[in-house]
Amino acid sequence: MAASQPQPPRGSPPVINFGRLGKDPATRALAVQDIARACRDQGCFQVVNHGVSKNVMAGAFEAASEFFQLSPEHKELFASTDIRRPVRYDTSSRDGISKARSFLKHYANPLEDWVEYWPLHPPSYRKKMGDYAVEIQRVSMQLMDAILQGLGLRPLYMQEKLEKGVQFLALNNYPQFSHRGDKVGLAAHSDYGFLTILLQNSPGLEVMPHDRDTWTAVPAIPGALHVHVGDHLEVLSNGRLKSLVHRAILNPDEARISIASIHGLSMDEKVCCAEQLVDEVNPAMYRESSFQDFLEFLPSNINNYKRFVESLKIDRA
């Protein structure tokens, strides 16, 4: 008898069995519908049965934890205020949203182009995080195929561009909430790319689902991956899907690590509204933009935070 699918607390993001995407056409079609509904109604969901092994996920957490436990001199090798560095460590951010976290950010796709820049310490970092990055890139490709199918776009739409696209890993280390000061570790924001796939080891992620105007805690279901819509998917869909506003809350019981994998097109590749989703009744609602445009947008956003997607909207008044 098959194990029952984990059921989230009432009101939290839906849990979707990823394995159904690889079944017969009828089963896949139902899974695509479920994903499309979750993206449209809430902007996020969790996936189980995704094929990423427990060992690979545990290895990623171990690599992240061991990196953050290194002496300051090891971590400071990657300290920089230059947001274009291929690997960057900081204890605060220049993005205007970080409150209490340290982080390590680096590119990961294609792995062979970036892994040489990654930390050499801890010694297993490149192997463990590399194994995780490759598996999550696979998951992202399959999810994007399903999401684009749900939008009515042709099979394998943009597949080659997605395969060559950016995968940006952000490892976040949040302290335990001390019951003094702000409980927010990372303020409300949305992510720039198509999809963000997040692995968390304990509760702390909160989302603002589209179908209700209230913060909702995302449970840390063992083995599940949290997925949410980014700004560039909102643009590509011409507003049919909306990027998810989310934040991180400090956990009162323990320090917390999360690993976010953000997926988009290559650095200079422009994202625009899909022509199949634009007509006289539904004109293009967003200007085209690239990851490079997002990086150029960030410095102006430090003291007066504005979501990137808001800067792309075309005023049709």
Side-chain angles (χ1 to χ4, degrees):
M1 183 175 177
S4 61
Q5 182 173 309
Q7 293 302 311
R10 185 175 178 82
S12 58
V15 176
I16 292 174
N17 184 342
F18 182 90
R20 293 164 62 213
L21 290 174
K23 300 293 185 181
D24 60 274
T27 301
R28 175 183 169 81
L30 291 173
V32 167
Q33 287 180 18
D34 288 345
I35 291 171
R37 185 182 305 110
C39 288
R40 183 185 66 245
D41 295 347
Q42 297 200 25
C44 63
F45 53 94
Q46 298 208 68
V47 289
V48 295
N49 194 21
H50 41 65
V52 184
S53 74
K54 292 180 180 179
N55 285 342
V56 167
M57 291 188 288
F61 272 133
E62 288 166 5
S65 178
E66 289 170 5
F67 174 83
F68 288 122
Q69 291 172 16
L70 290 174
S71 63
E73 50 266 34
H74 274 107
K75 291 180 287 191
E76 292 298 324
L77 291 172
F78 300 98
S80 175
T81 59
D82 181 0
I83 58 176
R84 288 174 173 79
R85 284 274 298 269
V87 182
R88 186 165 66 96
Y89 168 79
D90 207 344
T91 54
S92 63
S93 182
R94 318 299 182 219
D95 56 13
I97 57 173
S98 293
K99 302 293 185 181
R101 68 165 177 166
S102 55
F103 64 79
L104 180 70
K105 296 181 177 181
H106 57 68
Y107 299 101
N109 185 64
L111 184 64
E112 59 270 19
D113 288 357
W114 298 109
V115 71
E116 65 182 279
Y117 300 104
W118 291 8
L120 286 168
H121 299 282
S124 63
Y125 184 89
R126 292 183 175 183
K127 168 64 174 159
K128 290 179 177 178
M129 199 58 68
D131 288 347
Y132 178 75
V134 168
E135 286 293 287
I136 296 302
Q137 175 67 12
R138 171 189 59 79
V139 171
S140 78
M141 290 294 299
Q142 294 176 265
L143 285 174
M144 278 298 296
D145 188 39
I147 290 168
L148 296 175
Q149 183 180 341
L151 285 169
L153 300 176
R154 65 181 183 271
L156 305 179
Y157 181 84
M158 292 199 320
Q159 182 184 31
E160 187 175 348
K161 290 182 178 181
L162 289 166
E163 287 175 344
K164 297 177 179 178
V166 166
Q167 179 186 18
F168 186 67
L169 291 183
L171 287 58
N172 303 297
N173 185 35
Y174 297 100
Q176 181 177 352
F177 180 49
S178 65
H179 300 283
R180 295 191 303 273
D182 197 342
K183 69 174 183 177
V184 177
L186 187 62
H189 66 287
S190 60
D191 296 334
Y192 92 90
F194 287 137
L195 289 181
T196 296
I197 301 176
L198 184 94
L199 183 64
Q200 59 173 349
N201 65 350
S202 62
L205 175 65
E206 291 189 346
V207 299
M208 184 77 73
H210 303 329
D211 56 2
R212 54 189 176 279
D213 188 25
T214 183
W215 287 112
T216 301
V218 175
I221 299 173
L225 296 168
H226 171 81
V227 181
H228 61 246
V229 172
D231 290 349
H232 269 162
L233 190 50
E234 178 172 337
V235 171
L236 185 73
S237 73
N238 199 24
R240 294 190 184 188
L241 306 179
K242 303 291 186 183
S243 59
L244 181 77
V245 175
H246 56 287
R247 66 180 184 178
I249 298 299
L250 302 183
N251 190 312
D253 300 318
E254 58 185 338
R256 173 177 173 266
I257 287 176
S258 69
I259 304 173
S261 184
I262 302 174
H263 300 264
L265 298 187
S266 59
M267 190 74 72
D268 296 310
E269 187 79 40
K270 297 284 188 179
V271 176
C272 61
C273 303
E275 60 182 24
Q276 297 93 325
L277 304 179
V278 175
D279 54 32
E280 290 184 5
V281 178
N282 301 289
M285 301 299 293
Y286 305 85
R287 294 183 293 105
E288 66 176 14
S289 65
S290 64
F291 182 45
Q292 187 68 44
D293 294 327
F294 170 70
L295 293 179
E296 292 173 1
F297 168 80
L298 281 179
S300 65
N301 209 31
I302 296 172
N303 297 318
N304 185 25
Y305 177 75
K306 180 180 181 180
R307 293 168 60 210
F308 180 53
V309 72
E310 296 295 329
S311 74
L312 303 176
K313 291 183 176 179
I314 298 172
D315 186 1
R316 298 260 177 210

